[in-house]
Amino acid sequence: MKGDRVEIVVDAGDTTRTYEVIATRAGRRVETAVRRGVVEVSEVTRSGTVVRTARFMANRVLALVEQPVPRDDDSAA
């Protein structure tokens, strides 16, 4: 959903770097996957088309924080 975001903190040798992938438009979502030593974070449309992807070596990732947009309780009913 628009506004969902994932923060990725990566070890860059002597420092850390923080990256963000944000669902930029209505109907898009952010998906994460860990496959074969690679962390992949993608922004995906409603139909499942990947808009953009960020890939990181899993052994360099220090933190992966998913931050969904707060939803209204009324919309769940």
Side-chain angles (χ1 to χ4, degrees), residues 70-77:
R71 310 287 197 260
D72 293 337
D73 291 337
D74 298 335
S75 64

Side-chain angles (χ1 to χ4, degrees), residues 35-51:
R35 298 184 188 115
R36 302 184 74 180
V38 175
V39 175
E40 189 174 277
V41 182
S42 302
E43 182 181 358
V44 181
T45 63
R46 285 185 181 125
S47 63
T49 305
V50 176
V51 177

Side-chain angles (χ1 to χ4, degrees), residues 2-71:
K2 181 178 180 178
D4 286 351
R5 69 184 183 137
V6 174
E7 274 185 71
I8 306 102
V9 181
V10 179
D11 177 20
D14 58 341
T15 186
T16 60
R17 293 194 181 185
T18 302
Y19 299 93
E20 290 184 341
V21 176
I22 302 171
T24 55
R25 293 189 151 177
R28 292 190 180 170
R29 63 187 185 276
V30 179
E31 294 183 348
T32 59
V34 180
R35 298 184 188 115
R36 302 184 74 180
V38 175
V39 175
E40 189 174 277
V41 182
S42 302
E43 182 181 358
V44 181
T45 63
R46 285 185 181 125
S47 63
T49 305
V50 176
V51 177
R52 60 188 170 141
T53 302
R55 291 186 182 101
F56 305 93
M57 293 174 51
N59 60 349
R60 292 289 185 180
V61 174
L62 301 174
L64 186 69
V65 182
E66 296 181 2
Q67 299 176 345
V69 172
R71 310 287 197 260

